[in-house]
Amino acid sequence: MIHSIVRIVQIVTILGCLSSAVYYLICMWSAAAFLRERRAGGSARPTQPFPPVSILKPLKGTDPDIYESFRSHCVQDYPEYEIIFGVSDPSDPAVASVERLQQEFPGQAIRLVVCPQTLGANVKVSNLEQMLATARYQHLLVNDSDIHVVRDYLRRVMAPLESPALGMVTCLYRGVAAPTLGSRLEALGISSDFCAGVLVARQLEGGLRFALGSTLAFRRADLERIGGFRSVVDFLADDYELGRRIASLGLQVRLSDVVVETHLPAYDVPGFLAHQLRWARGVRDARAGGYLGLVSTFGLMWALLNLAVSHGATWAWAVLGAVALLRGAVALAVGKAVLQDRNLLKHLWLLPLRDLVAVAVWAASFAGHTVTWRGDRFELKDGRLIRIP
């Protein structure tokens, strides 16, 4: 009986190793396809003038290098745009950075909007709705407060929107880690796992059906067609929902060739785990089928279990080595080649630990429905936030 159970477990672990290996190969195929398209599109030029753009940046508190992130939006090589910052509290610490920005760039259209209303559980989206009323232009760009961009970012993001078949442009991003273990694990996960999954979804689904909060560029008219920001004001994964709803109009969601950057907080290990759990539960509710299927991609876990049940057999060590080699190749293909993460090689030795933590977080995400976000606790139900008093 025990022998039969061990045999079944061994078969399951071998299947897990095989499914993970196939997934890793698909990741590399997807990364190669993105790189080919990026090289081919590098010489493309827009055929129409760039439209004026309203950049909306909702704020709450400060982020690492927040001023430099703000500043990168003020030195864009772009003909006409405005930047609108929004806060719920006029005494928010981020206000000082906005005021400093206005002093450094007096000729740039920079406005600070205080958003007194709470229109739903997602305060960021509530602020976006109130900020939108002050926006002058018909093309909008929303990105997170901690995003740092290159000088030609706006040109490269806005150019594809000249096509009427395109509804939204979004961007991959890389994380710049603070000198803590939690922050390094977070950056490594973004470069080696999260963005790999985005590329796979894009390749297998024939395009994206969602968007990332690092960049959401779209037309005001299309936003109105999906019910405006109010339609997602109670969702945790508001960026995902906006992209999904734009795609549901029959419009394409394009992954830009530009990669943006975020400076990560100095997470301690509990802070890193809490952030990962919030992220995991948000993805679980947004893409339940795909999230459940992640269990078939945890190659290191399956290879280690296979090694254990085979009592350290030579062939099991070979399987572990092959899985580790493929996993490392994915990290290099996505993190180094696609995202151009300068610190990837320095943090690559942490990849086994990061992958095993990811398994634990994945399992823990099914154990509850509560998340903590910017100091507030919520219950998550079908992707919607319900504030816990």
Side-chain angles (χ1 to χ4, degrees):
M1 179 66 177
I2 294 177
H3 177 75
S4 298
I5 293 174
V6 171
R7 184 63 178 165
I8 292 171
V9 171
Q10 190 170 57
I11 292 172
V12 170
T13 60
I14 292 172
L15 290 175
C17 291
L18 288 173
S19 64
S20 299
V22 170
Y23 175 72
Y24 296 154
L25 291 172
I26 293 174
C27 286
M28 289 185 279
W29 169 54
S30 303
F34 178 81
L35 289 170
R36 283 196 302 272
E37 292 176 23
R38 184 159 71 183
R39 286 192 293 268
S43 58
R45 293 291 181 269
T47 58
Q48 300 177 18
F50 288 104
V53 184
S54 295
I55 300 176
L56 308 180
K57 293 185 75 70
L59 309 174
K60 183 179 181 182
T62 59
D63 297 297
D65 293 298
I66 191 171
Y67 186 74
E68 289 305 313
S69 297
F70 289 175
R71 194 179 187 280
S72 69
H73 291 74
C74 295
V75 295
Q76 289 296 298
D77 179 19
Y78 198 83
E80 186 176 1
Y81 66 100
E82 63 178 356
I83 309 175
I84 302 171
F85 296 94
V87 293
S88 299
D89 183 353
S91 62
D92 191 290
V95 170
S97 295
V98 176
E99 292 174 343
R100 178 184 168 193
L101 201 70
Q102 290 171 322
Q103 292 173 1
E104 183 179 354
F105 298 95
Q108 178 62 265
I110 302 171
R111 296 201 302 282
L112 177 66
V113 178
V114 177
C115 309
Q117 296 177 281
T118 301
L119 305 176
N122 189 323
V123 176
K124 182 183 86 170
V125 179
S126 174
N127 288 356
L128 281 170
E129 175 69 16
Q130 295 168 77
M131 294 158 64
L132 181 62
T134 71
R136 292 187 293 165
Y137 302 130
Q138 294 303 307
H139 283 74
L140 307 172
L141 187 147
V142 178
N143 62 18
D144 291 336
S145 59
D146 58 355
I147 295 298
H148 187 283
V149 298
V150 292
R151 185 172 170 79
D152 60 350
Y153 163 75
L154 274 182
R155 286 180 175 267
R156 292 162 68 181
V157 168
M158 298 308 300
L161 282 172
E162 71 176 7
S163 169
L166 196 71
M168 181 173 281
V169 178
T170 192
C171 292
L172 294 172
Y173 60 98
R174 59 181 172 264
V176 179
T180 65
L181 177 60
S183 190
R184 288 169 179 155
L185 290 173
E186 179 91 2
L188 186 58
I190 292 169
S191 289
S192 68
D193 189 19
F194 175 74
C195 287
V198 173
L199 291 172
V200 167
R202 170 183 174 270
Q203 195 70 12
L204 295 184
E205 297 175 13
L208 289 181
R209 301 291 185 272
F210 57 90
L212 310 177
S214 55
T215 295
L216 304 120
F218 49 93
R219 304 176 192 89
R220 187 193 293 251
D222 293 329
L223 177 65
E224 291 172 354
R225 289 174 64 191
I226 64 169
F229 288 121
R230 282 181 180 267
S231 66
V232 297
V233 76
D234 288 319
F235 282 87
L236 172 61
D238 51 275
D239 47 2
Y240 174 90
E241 280 295 322
L242 285 169
R244 185 185 69 81
R245 294 176 187 218
I246 291 286
S248 72
L249 298 175
L251 299 172
Q252 299 172 24
V253 177
R254 173 78 57 85
L255 190 61
S256 174
D257 65 341
V258 66
V259 176
V260 299
E261 197 167 78
T262 175
H263 287 258
L264 300 172
Y267 291 118
D268 56 15
V269 172
F272 161 71
L273 293 174
H275 182 256
Q276 288 291 299
L277 187 59
R278 173 173 67 82
W279 199 355
R281 286 178 175 166
V283 176
R284 179 200 67 191
D285 273 29
R287 291 173 65 88
Y291 186 74
L292 188 62
L294 285 177
V295 70
S296 65
T297 69
F298 295 140
L300 182 59
M301 176 196 74
W302 291 120
L304 289 173
L305 287 174
N306 180 58
L307 186 67
V309 298
S310 65
H311 304 291
T314 302
W315 66 268
W317 280 105
V319 168
L320 175 60
V323 167
L325 187 65
L326 284 173
R327 181 67 182 97
V330 170
L332 292 172
V334 178
K336 195 67 176 173
V338 174
L339 301 181
Q340 300 173 343
D341 183 347
R342 298 178 297 276
N343 296 310
L344 178 73
L345 295 179
K346 185 167 63 176
H347 298 150
L348 198 58
W349 67 277
L350 289 168
L351 190 59
L353 173 61
R354 186 266 154 202
D355 279 5
L356 292 176
V357 169
V359 175
V361 170
W362 179 85
S365 70
F366 293 102
H369 296 273
T370 59
V371 296
T372 302
W373 188 18
R374 298 266 185 176
D376 296 322
R377 293 185 70 244
F378 300 90
E379 182 181 351
L380 194 60
K381 185 174 182 180
D382 298 326
R384 295 177 183 271
L385 293 164
I386 302 171
R387 189 179 296 274
I388 299 174

